[in-house]
Amino acid sequence: MNKEQSSEVSIFLRNLRSGIWLVGISSWIFGITDRTIAALADGYLSAWDITQLFTASFFFVSWLFLKPTWR
């Protein structure tokens, strides 16, 4: 593989990582929104609903810290 092909592969992988990260963000936002609507639909917020919301929020924040580098 020459230097030009290596550079193209590197750019492709960087774009792939960034794309996966962006899809993950939209998925987590959708999941948190869905859980919030489901938890508040009956007008009663149970301990299980709160646990699910905190867990989803924790994983969302963790996903934000996994942002790929833009070198």
Side-chain angles (χ1 to χ4, degrees):
M1 214 186 250
N2 63 22
K3 194 169 190 166
E4 184 178 318
Q5 288 176 333
S6 176
S7 176
E8 289 176 6
V9 170
S10 176
I11 291 171
F12 171 75
L13 290 176
R14 182 178 27 191
N15 289 338
L16 180 65
R17 276 183 278 171
S18 298
I20 290 172
W21 186 73
L22 289 172
V23 168
I25 287 178
S26 60
S27 298
W28 280 113
I29 290 174
F30 174 78
I32 291 172
T33 305
D34 178 58
R35 285 288 86 214
T36 303
I37 292 170
L40 299 175
D42 60 355
Y44 175 73
L45 198 60
S46 69
W48 181 247
D49 294 333
I50 293 171
T51 303
Q52 286 182 338
L53 287 172
F54 278 132
T55 303
S57 299
F58 171 75
F59 284 125
F60 173 65
V61 171
S62 299
W63 185 261
L64 291 176
F65 283 114
L66 291 174
K67 182 178 181 177
T69 58
W70 299 97
R71 293 185 240 163

Coordinates of all heavy atoms in Angstrom, one line a residue:
M1 N 0.8 -1.2 0.0 CA 0.0 0.0 0.0 C 0.9 1.2 0.0 O 1.8 1.4 0.8 CB -0.9 0.0 1.3 CG -2.2 0.5 1.1 SD -3.1 0.6 2.7 CE -4.3 -0.6 2.4
N2 N 0.6 2.1 -0.9 CA 1.4 3.3 -0.9 C 0.9 4.4 0.0 O -0.1 4.2 0.7 CB 1.6 3.9 -2.3 CG 0.2 4.3 -2.9 OD1 -0.7 4.6 -2.2 ND2 0.2 4.4 -4.2
K3 N 1.6 5.5 0.1 CA 1.2 6.5 1.1 C -0.2 7.1 0.8 O -0.9 7.5 1.7 CB 2.3 7.6 1.1 CG 2.2 8.5 2.3 CD 3.5 9.4 2.4 CE 3.5 10.1 3.7 NZ 4.8 10.7 4.0
E4 N -0.5 7.3 -0.5 CA -1.8 7.9 -0.8 C -2.9 7.0 -0.4 O -3.9 7.5 0.1 CB -1.8 8.2 -2.3 CG -3.1 8.9 -2.8 CD -3.1 9.2 -4.3 OE1 -2.0 9.6 -4.8 OE2 -4.1 8.9 -4.9
Q5 N -2.8 5.7 -0.6 CA -3.9 4.8 -0.3 C -4.0 4.7 1.3 O -5.1 4.6 1.8 CB -3.6 3.4 -0.8 CG -3.8 3.3 -2.3 CD -3.4 1.9 -2.8 OE1 -2.6 1.2 -2.2 NE2 -4.0 1.5 -3.9
S6 N -2.9 4.7 1.9 CA -2.9 4.7 3.4 C -3.6 6.0 3.9 O -4.4 5.9 4.9 CB -1.5 4.7 3.9 OG -1.5 4.8 5.3
S7 N -3.4 7.1 3.3 CA -4.1 8.3 3.7 C -5.6 8.2 3.5 O -6.4 8.7 4.3 CB -3.5 9.5 2.9 OG -4.2 10.7 3.2
E8 N -6.0 7.7 2.3 CA -7.4 7.5 2.0 C -8.1 6.6 3.0 O -9.2 6.8 3.5 CB -7.6 7.0 0.6 CG -7.2 8.0 -0.5 CD -7.3 7.4 -1.9 OE1 -7.8 6.3 -2.0 OE2 -6.9 8.1 -2.8
V9 N -7.4 5.5 3.4 CA -8.0 4.6 4.4 C -8.1 5.3 5.7 O -9.1 5.1 6.4 CB -7.1 3.3 4.5 CG1 -7.5 2.4 5.7 CG2 -7.1 2.5 3.2
S10 N -7.1 6.0 6.1 CA -7.1 6.8 7.4 C -8.3 7.8 7.4 O -9.0 7.9 8.4 CB -5.8 7.5 7.6 OG -5.8 8.3 8.7
I11 N -8.5 8.5 6.3 CA -9.6 9.4 6.3 C -10.9 8.7 6.3 O -11.9 9.1 7.0 CB -9.5 10.3 5.0 CG1 -8.3 11.2 5.1 CG2 -10.8 11.1 4.7 CD1 -8.0 11.9 3.8
F12 N -11.0 7.6 5.6 CA -12.3 6.8 5.7 C -12.6 6.3 7.1 O -13.7 6.4 7.5 CB -12.2 5.6 4.7 CG -13.3 4.6 4.8 CD1 -14.6 4.9 4.3 CD2 -13.1 3.4 5.5 CE1 -15.6 4.1 4.5 CE2 -14.2 2.5 5.6 CZ -15.4 2.9 5.1
L13 N -11.6 5.8 7.8 CA -11.8 5.3 9.1 C -12.2 6.4 10.1 O -13.0 6.2 11.0 CB -10.6 4.5 9.6 CG -10.3 3.2 8.9 CD1 -9.0 2.6 9.4 CD2 -11.4 2.2 9.2
R14 N -11.5 7.6 9.9 CA -11.9 8.7 10.8 C -13.3 9.1 10.5 O -14.1 9.4 11.5 CB -10.9 9.9 10.5 CG -11.2 11.1 11.3 CD -10.2 12.2 11.0 NE -9.8 12.1 9.7 CZ -8.8 12.8 9.2 NH1 -8.1 13.7 10.0 NH2 -8.4 12.8 7.9
N15 N -13.8 9.2 9.3 CA -15.2 9.5 9.0 C -16.1 8.5 9.5 O -17.2 8.8 9.9 CB -15.3 9.7 7.5 CG -14.6 11.0 7.0 OD1 -14.4 11.9 7.8 ND2 -14.3 11.0 5.7
L16 N -15.7 7.2 9.4 CA -16.6 6.1 9.9 C -16.8 6.2 11.4 O -17.9 6.1 11.9 CB -16.0 4.8 9.5 CG -16.8 3.5 10.0 CD1 -18.1 3.5 9.2 CD2 -16.0 2.3 9.7
R17 N -15.7 6.4 12.1 CA -15.8 6.6 13.6 C -16.6 7.8 14.0 O -17.5 7.7 14.9 CB -14.4 6.8 14.2 CG -13.7 5.5 14.5 CD -12.4 5.8 15.1 NE -11.5 6.1 14.0 CZ -10.2 6.6 14.2 NH1 -9.8 6.8 15.4 NH2 -9.5 6.9 13.1
S18 N -16.5 8.9 13.3 CA -17.3 10.1 13.5 C -18.8 9.8 13.2 O -19.6 10.2 14.0 CB -16.8 11.3 12.7 OG -15.5 11.5 13.1
G19 N -19.0 9.1 12.1 CA -20.4 8.8 11.8 C -21.1 7.9 12.8 O -22.2 8.1 13.2
I20 N -20.3 6.9 13.3 CA -20.9 6.0 14.3 C -21.2 6.8 15.6 O -22.2 6.6 16.2 CB -19.9 4.8 14.5 CG1 -19.9 3.9 13.3 CG2 -20.3 4.0 15.8 CD1 -18.9 2.8 13.3
W21 N -20.2 7.7 15.9 CA -20.4 8.5 17.1 C -21.7 9.3 17.0 O -22.5 9.4 18.0 CB -19.2 9.3 17.4 CG -19.2 10.0 18.7 CD1 -19.0 9.5 19.9 CD2 -19.4 11.4 18.8 NE1 -19.1 10.5 20.9 CE2 -19.3 11.7 20.2 CE3 -19.6 12.5 18.0 CZ2 -19.5 13.0 20.7 CZ3 -19.8 13.8 18.5 CH2 -19.7 14.0 19.8
L22 N -21.9 10.0 15.9 CA -23.0 10.8 15.7 C -24.4 10.0 15.7 O -25.4 10.5 16.2 CB -22.9 11.6 14.4 CG -21.9 12.7 14.4 CD1 -21.7 13.3 13.0 CD2 -22.2 13.8 15.4
V23 N -24.3 8.9 15.1 CA -25.5 8.0 15.1 C -25.8 7.6 16.6 O -27.0 7.5 17.0 CB -25.4 6.8 14.2 CG1 -26.4 5.7 14.4 CG2 -25.4 7.2 12.7
G24 N -24.8 7.3 17.3 CA -24.9 6.9 18.7 C -25.6 8.1 19.5 O -26.4 7.8 20.4
I25 N -25.2 9.3 19.3 CA -25.7 10.4 20.0 C -27.2 10.5 19.7 O -28.1 10.7 20.6 CB -25.1 11.7 19.6 CG1 -23.7 11.8 20.2 CG2 -25.9 13.0 20.0 CD1 -22.9 13.0 19.9
S26 N -27.6 10.4 18.4 CA -29.0 10.5 18.1 C -29.8 9.4 18.7 O -31.0 9.5 19.2 CB -29.2 10.6 16.6 OG -28.7 9.5 16.0
S27 N -29.2 8.2 18.7 CA -29.9 7.0 19.3 C -30.1 7.2 20.8 O -31.2 6.9 21.4 CB -29.1 5.8 19.1 OG -29.0 5.5 17.7
W28 N -29.1 7.7 21.5 CA -29.2 7.9 23.0 C -30.3 9.0 23.3 O -31.0 8.9 24.2 CB -27.9 8.3 23.6 CG -27.0 7.1 23.8 CD1 -25.9 6.8 23.2 CD2 -27.3 6.0 24.7 NE1 -25.4 5.5 23.7 CE2 -26.3 5.1 24.6 CE3 -28.3 5.7 25.6 CZ2 -26.2 3.9 25.4 CZ3 -28.3 4.5 26.4 CH2 -27.3 3.6 26.2
I29 N -30.3 10.1 22.5 CA -31.3 11.1 22.7 C -32.7 10.6 22.5 O -33.6 10.8 23.3 CB -31.0 12.3 21.8 CG1 -29.7 13.0 22.3 CG2 -32.2 13.3 21.8 CD1 -29.2 14.2 21.4
F30 N -32.8 9.8 21.4 CA -34.1 9.2 21.2 C -34.5 8.2 22.3 O -35.7 8.3 22.8 CB -34.1 8.4 19.9 CG -35.4 7.6 19.6 CD1 -36.5 8.2 19.2 CD2 -35.4 6.2 19.9 CE1 -37.7 7.5 19.0 CE2 -36.6 5.5 19.7 CZ -37.7 6.2 19.2
G31 N -33.6 7.4 22.8 CA -33.9 6.5 23.9 C -34.3 7.2 25.2 O -35.2 6.8 25.9
I32 N -33.5 8.3 25.5 CA -33.9 9.0 26.7 C -35.2 9.7 26.6 O -36.0 9.7 27.5 CB -32.8 10.1 27.0 CG1 -31.5 9.3 27.5 CG2 -33.2 11.1 28.1 CD1 -30.3 10.2 27.6
T33 N -35.5 10.3 25.4 CA -36.8 10.9 25.2 C -37.9 9.9 25.3 O -39.0 10.1 25.9 CB -36.8 11.6 23.8 OG1 -35.7 12.5 23.7 CG2 -38.1 12.3 23.6
D34 N -37.7 8.7 24.7 CA -38.7 7.6 24.7 C -39.0 7.2 26.2 O -40.1 7.0 26.6 CB -38.3 6.5 23.9 CG -39.2 5.3 23.9 OD1 -40.4 5.5 23.6 OD2 -38.8 4.2 24.4
R35 N -37.9 7.0 26.9 CA -38.1 6.6 28.3 C -38.8 7.6 29.2 O -39.6 7.3 30.1 CB -36.7 6.3 29.0 CG -36.1 5.0 28.5 CD -36.8 3.7 29.1 NE -37.9 3.3 28.3 CZ -39.1 2.8 28.7 NH1 -39.3 2.6 29.9 NH2 -40.0 2.5 27.9
T36 N -38.5 8.9 28.9 CA -39.1 10.0 29.6 C -40.6 10.1 29.4 O -41.4 10.2 30.3 CB -38.4 11.3 29.3 OG1 -37.0 11.3 29.6 CG2 -39.0 12.5 30.1
I37 N -40.9 10.0 28.1 CA -42.4 10.0 27.7 C -43.1 8.8 28.3 O -44.2 8.9 28.9 CB -42.5 10.0 26.2 CG1 -42.1 11.4 25.7 CG2 -44.0 9.8 25.8 CD1 -41.9 11.5 24.2
A38 N -42.5 7.6 28.3 CA -43.1 6.4 28.8 C -43.2 6.5 30.4 O -44.2 6.1 30.9 CB -42.3 5.2 28.5
A39 N -42.2 7.1 31.0 CA -42.3 7.3 32.5 C -43.3 8.3 32.9 O -44.0 8.1 33.9 CB -40.9 7.7 33.0
L40 N -43.5 9.3 32.1 CA -44.5 10.3 32.5 C -45.9 10.1 32.0 O -46.8 10.9 32.3 CB -43.9 11.7 32.1 CG -42.6 12.1 32.8 CD1 -42.1 13.4 32.2 CD2 -42.7 12.2 34.3
A41 N -46.1 9.1 31.1 CA -47.4 8.9 30.5 C -48.5 8.6 31.4 O -49.6 9.1 31.2 CB -47.2 7.8 29.5
D42 N -48.2 7.9 32.5 CA -49.3 7.5 33.4 C -49.4 8.5 34.6 O -50.2 8.4 35.5 CB -49.1 6.1 34.0 CG -47.8 5.9 34.7 OD1 -47.0 6.9 34.7 OD2 -47.6 4.8 35.3
G43 N -48.5 9.6 34.6 CA -48.6 10.6 35.7 C -48.0 10.1 37.0 O -48.0 10.9 37.9
Y44 N -47.4 9.0 37.0 CA -46.7 8.5 38.2 C -45.3 8.1 37.9 O -45.1 7.3 36.9 CB -47.5 7.3 38.7 CG -46.9 6.6 39.9 CD1 -46.9 7.2 41.2 CD2 -46.3 5.4 39.8 CE1 -46.3 6.6 42.3 CE2 -45.7 4.8 40.9 CZ -45.7 5.4 42.1 OH -45.1 4.8 43.2
L45 N -44.3 8.6 38.6 CA -42.9 8.3 38.4 C -42.5 7.3 39.4 O -42.3 7.6 40.6 CB -42.1 9.6 38.4 CG -40.7 9.6 37.8 CD1 -40.8 9.2 36.3 CD2 -40.1 10.9 38.0
S46 N -42.3 6.0 39.0 CA -41.9 5.0 39.9 C -40.3 5.0 40.1 O -39.6 5.6 39.3 CB -42.4 3.6 39.4 OG -41.7 3.2 38.3
A47 N -39.9 4.2 41.1 CA -38.4 4.0 41.3 C -37.8 3.4 40.1 O -36.6 3.7 39.7 CB -38.2 3.2 42.5
W48 N -38.5 2.4 39.4 CA -38.0 1.8 38.3 C -37.8 2.7 37.1 O -36.8 2.7 36.4 CB -38.9 0.6 37.9 CG -38.4 -0.2 36.7 CD1 -39.0 -0.2 35.5 CD2 -37.2 -1.0 36.6 NE1 -38.2 -1.0 34.6 CE2 -37.1 -1.5 35.3 CE3 -36.2 -1.3 37.5 CZ2 -36.1 -2.3 34.9 CZ3 -35.2 -2.1 37.1 CH2 -35.1 -2.6 35.8
D49 N -38.7 3.6 36.9 CA -38.6 4.6 35.9 C -37.4 5.6 36.1 O -36.7 5.9 35.2 CB -39.9 5.5 35.8 CG -41.1 4.7 35.3 OD1 -40.9 3.7 34.6 OD2 -42.2 5.1 35.7
I50 N -37.3 6.0 37.3 CA -36.1 6.9 37.7 C -34.8 6.1 37.4 O -33.9 6.7 36.9 CB -36.3 7.3 39.1 CG1 -37.5 8.3 39.2 CG2 -35.0 8.1 39.6 CD1 -37.8 8.6 40.7
T51 N -34.7 4.9 37.8 CA -33.5 4.1 37.6 C -33.2 4.0 36.1 O -32.1 4.1 35.7 CB -33.7 2.7 38.2 OG1 -34.0 2.8 39.6 CG2 -32.5 1.8 38.0
Q52 N -34.2 3.7 35.3 CA -34.0 3.6 33.8 C -33.5 5.0 33.2 O -32.6 5.0 32.4 CB -35.3 3.2 33.1 CG -35.6 1.7 33.3 CD -36.9 1.3 32.5 OE1 -37.7 2.2 32.2 NE2 -37.0 0.1 32.3
L53 N -34.1 6.1 33.7 CA -33.7 7.4 33.2 C -32.3 7.7 33.6 O -31.5 8.2 32.8 CB -34.7 8.4 33.7 CG -36.1 8.4 33.0 CD1 -37.0 9.4 33.7 CD2 -35.9 8.8 31.6
F54 N -31.9 7.5 34.8 CA -30.6 7.7 35.3 C -29.5 6.8 34.6 O -28.5 7.3 34.2 CB -30.4 7.6 36.8 CG -30.9 8.8 37.5 CD1 -31.8 8.7 38.6 CD2 -30.5 10.1 37.2 CE1 -32.2 9.8 39.3 CE2 -30.9 11.2 37.9 CZ -31.8 11.0 39.0
T55 N -29.9 5.6 34.3 CA -29.0 4.7 33.6 C -28.8 5.1 32.2 O -27.6 5.2 31.7 CB -29.5 3.2 33.7 OG1 -29.7 2.8 35.0 CG2 -28.6 2.3 33.0
A56 N -29.9 5.5 31.5 CA -29.8 5.9 30.1 C -29.0 7.2 30.1 O -28.1 7.4 29.2 CB -31.1 6.1 29.5
S57 N -29.2 8.1 31.0 CA -28.5 9.4 31.0 C -27.0 9.2 31.3 O -26.1 9.8 30.7 CB -29.0 10.3 32.1 OG -30.4 10.6 31.8
F58 N -26.7 8.2 32.2 CA -25.3 7.9 32.5 C -24.6 7.4 31.2 O -23.4 7.8 30.9 CB -25.2 6.9 33.6 CG -23.8 6.3 33.8 CD1 -22.8 7.1 34.4 CD2 -23.5 5.1 33.3 CE1 -21.5 6.6 34.6 CE2 -22.2 4.6 33.5 CZ -21.2 5.3 34.2
F59 N -25.2 6.5 30.5 CA -24.6 5.9 29.3 C -24.5 7.0 28.2 O -23.5 7.0 27.4 CB -25.4 4.7 28.8 CG -25.1 3.5 29.6 CD1 -26.1 2.8 30.2 CD2 -23.8 3.0 29.8 CE1 -25.9 1.6 30.9 CE2 -23.6 1.9 30.5 CZ -24.6 1.2 31.1
F60 N -25.4 7.9 28.1 CA -25.4 9.0 27.1 C -24.2 9.9 27.4 O -23.4 10.2 26.5 CB -26.7 9.8 27.1 CG -26.6 11.0 26.3 CD1 -26.5 10.9 24.9 CD2 -26.7 12.3 26.8 CE1 -26.4 12.0 24.1 CE2 -26.6 13.4 26.0 CZ -26.5 13.3 24.7
V61 N -24.0 10.3 28.7 CA -22.8 11.1 29.0 C -21.5 10.3 28.8 O -20.5 10.9 28.3 CB -22.9 11.6 30.5 CG1 -21.7 12.2 31.0 CG2 -24.1 12.5 30.7
S62 N -21.5 9.1 29.1 CA -20.3 8.2 28.8 C -20.0 8.2 27.3 O -18.9 8.3 26.9 CB -20.5 6.8 29.3 OG -20.7 6.8 30.7
W63 N -21.1 8.1 26.5 CA -20.9 8.1 25.0 C -20.3 9.4 24.6 O -19.5 9.5 23.6 CB -22.2 7.8 24.4 CG -22.1 7.7 22.9 CD1 -22.4 8.6 21.9 CD2 -21.7 6.5 22.1 NE1 -22.2 8.1 20.7 CE2 -21.8 6.9 20.8 CE3 -21.3 5.3 22.5 CZ2 -21.4 6.0 19.8 CZ3 -21.0 4.4 21.5 CH2 -21.0 4.7 20.2
L64 N -20.7 10.5 25.2 CA -20.2 11.8 24.8 C -18.6 11.9 25.0 O -17.9 12.5 24.3 CB -20.9 13.0 25.5 CG -22.3 13.2 25.2 CD1 -22.9 14.3 26.1 CD2 -22.4 13.6 23.7
F65 N -18.2 11.2 26.1 CA -16.7 11.2 26.4 C -16.0 10.3 25.4 O -14.7 10.4 25.4 CB -16.5 10.8 27.8 CG -16.8 11.9 28.8 CD1 -17.8 11.8 29.7 CD2 -16.0 13.0 28.8 CE1 -18.1 12.7 30.6 CE2 -16.2 14.0 29.8 CZ -17.3 13.9 30.7
L66 N -16.6 9.5 24.6 CA -16.0 8.6 23.7 C -15.8 9.3 22.3 O -15.5 8.6 21.3 CB -16.8 7.3 23.5 CG -16.8 6.4 24.7 CD1 -17.7 5.2 24.4 CD2 -15.4 5.9 25.0
K67 N -16.0 10.6 22.3 CA -15.8 11.3 21.0 C -14.5 11.0 20.3 O -13.4 11.1 21.0 CB -16.0 12.8 21.3 CG -15.9 13.7 20.0 CD -16.1 15.1 20.3 CE -16.0 15.9 19.1 NZ -16.2 17.3 19.3
P68 N -14.5 10.7 19.1 CA -13.3 10.4 18.4 C -12.4 11.7 18.2 O -13.0 12.8 18.1 CB -13.7 9.8 17.0 CG -15.1 10.2 16.9 CD -15.7 10.5 18.2
T69 N -11.1 11.5 18.1 CA -10.3 12.6 17.9 C -10.3 13.1 16.4 O -10.6 12.3 15.5 CB -8.8 12.3 18.2 OG1 -8.4 11.1 17.4 CG2 -8.7 11.9 19.7
W70 N -10.0 14.3 16.2 CA -10.1 14.9 14.8 C -8.7 15.2 14.2 O -8.5 16.1 13.5 CB -11.0 16.2 14.8 CG -12.3 16.0 15.3 CD1 -12.8 16.2 16.5 CD2 -13.4 15.5 14.5 NE1 -14.1 15.9 16.6 CE2 -14.5 15.4 15.4 CE3 -13.6 15.1 13.2 CZ2 -15.8 15.0 15.0 CZ3 -14.9 14.7 12.8 CH2 -15.9 14.7 13.7
R71 N -7.8 14.3 14.5 CA -6.4 14.6 14.0 C -6.3 14.5 12.5 O -6.8 13.8 11.8 CB -5.4 13.6 14.6 CG -5.3 13.8 16.1 CD -4.2 12.9 16.6 NE -4.9 12.0 17.6 CZ -4.3 10.9 18.0 NH1 -3.2 10.5 17.5 NH2 -4.9 10.2 18.9

